Amino acid sequence: QVQFVQSGTEVQKPGASVKISCKASGYSSPIYFIHWVRQAPGHGLEWMGWVNAGDGVPQYSQKLQGRITITRDTLSSTGYMELTSLTSEDTAIYYCTGGPTPYNLDSWGQGTLLTVSS
Amino acid sequence: QSALTQPASVSGSPGQSITVSCAGTINDIGTYNLVSWYQQYPGKAPKLIIYEVTKRPSGISSRFSGSRSGYTASLTISGLQPEDEADYHCCSYAGGRACVFGGGTKLTVL
């Protein structure tokens, strides 16, 4: 099963951007889907988008379209999620997750806390 | 507002069975047999416990089972144990959106 290790805690000011990384290990299939999911304090999970690790084609939630970019680097087996124009409503724990199909989130990273505050 | 509707909380005593519902629409649960369930302990990442409505990943107890009827999916936990106390999240594929989540359900074991 794949293991994901994410980058550390982030503190950003409103209007800034953030880029979180997620290093994957332990998978052999070239077809793998890396998703990003976030969880605001005291709230449920929100799907943000995915990237097909094989061809690099992303898909984003309509809510975040225009502010989010999800990429991957095949050489380092690392996924990235960049979010721009941050507001306090983006304060959340961000998880990378994924699996061999686009529908099932088999493995999860440890989460990255993002705090947006002036 | 979440795309899928779950009860905010459910509770049960050890040994009992409980069911968590997850109501969707024709655009998600009603069309796709691609509902998954995740267990999450406080301060921890979620964990997949049911996928494709009824299937269990390796290592997940048979006490966890899933089903679907119409636009509603359900997670049943039988023989409730204290360690089952956690939050449970449902997710459905919805065409252009890979995963629409419910708001999550807090399970309390009395």
Side-chain angles (χ1 to χ4, degrees):
Chain A
Q1 196 174 23
V2 175
Q3 290 82 46
F4 291 115
V5 178
Q6 299 181 223
S7 51
T9 298
E10 295 270 1
V11 179
Q12 298 291 342
K13 294 189 184 303
S17 300
V18 69
K19 190 171 185 176
I20 300 171
S21 68
C22 168
K23 184 170 177 60
S25 62
Y27 71 99
S28 57
S29 169
I31 306 300
Y32 206 88
F33 296 86
I34 300 175
H35 300 247
W36 290 87
V37 171
R38 69 180 179 179
Q39 186 171 34
H43 286 74
L45 302 172
E46 178 186 3
W47 180 77
M48 303 174 68
W50 74 9
V51 65
N52 181 327
D55 60 18
V57 175
Q59 188 166 7
Y60 305 127
S61 77
Q62 286 187 330
K63 175 182 176 182
L64 296 173
Q65 188 88 34
R67 287 207 299 137
I68 187 172
T69 303
I70 296 175
T71 57
R72 96 290 184 237
D73 177 350
T74 55
L75 289 179
S76 63
S77 300
T78 301
Y80 299 93
M81 188 285 299
E82 182 173 22
L83 194 62
T84 62
S85 303
L86 295 171
T87 73
S88 58
E89 295 190 352
D90 295 314
T91 293
I93 297 174
Y94 288 73
Y95 295 101
C96 70
T97 174
T101 75
Y103 326 117
N104 306 318
L105 308 180
D106 299 51
S107 302
W108 292 71
Q110 82 275 21
T112 297
L113 174 62
L114 167 65
T115 301
V116 182
S117 174
S118 55
Chain B
Q1 187 174 1
S2 301
L4 305 180
T5 301
Q6 298 180 235
S9 63
V10 296
S11 63
S13 299
Q16 289 185 331
S17 294
I18 63 94
T19 297
V20 180
S21 62
C22 173
T25 69
I26 184 74
N27 298 315
D28 36 68
I29 295 176
T31 296
Y32 304 100
N33 280 321
L34 295 170
V35 176
S36 51
W37 290 89
Y38 302 86
Q39 177 190 61
Q40 184 181 31
Y41 293 112
K44 300 295 186 182
K47 176 183 178 180
L48 177 68
I49 58 172
I50 294 288
Y51 67 100
E52 293 171 17
V53 180
T54 61
K55 300 176 181 178
R56 282 189 311 276
S58 174
I60 299 301
S61 170
S62 58
R63 297 187 299 105
F64 293 90
S65 62
S67 62
R68 187 197 90 163
S69 178
Y71 300 170
T72 298
S74 298
L75 169 71
T76 298
I77 307 175
S78 59
L80 207 57
Q81 298 181 0
E83 59 264 33
D84 297 330
E85 185 162 296
D87 293 330
Y88 292 86
H89 305 272
C90 64
C91 164
S92 175
Y93 181 73
R97 294 176 292 171
C99 185
V100 290
F101 284 102
T105 299
K106 180 177 179 59
L107 168 62
T108 300
V109 180
L110 302 170

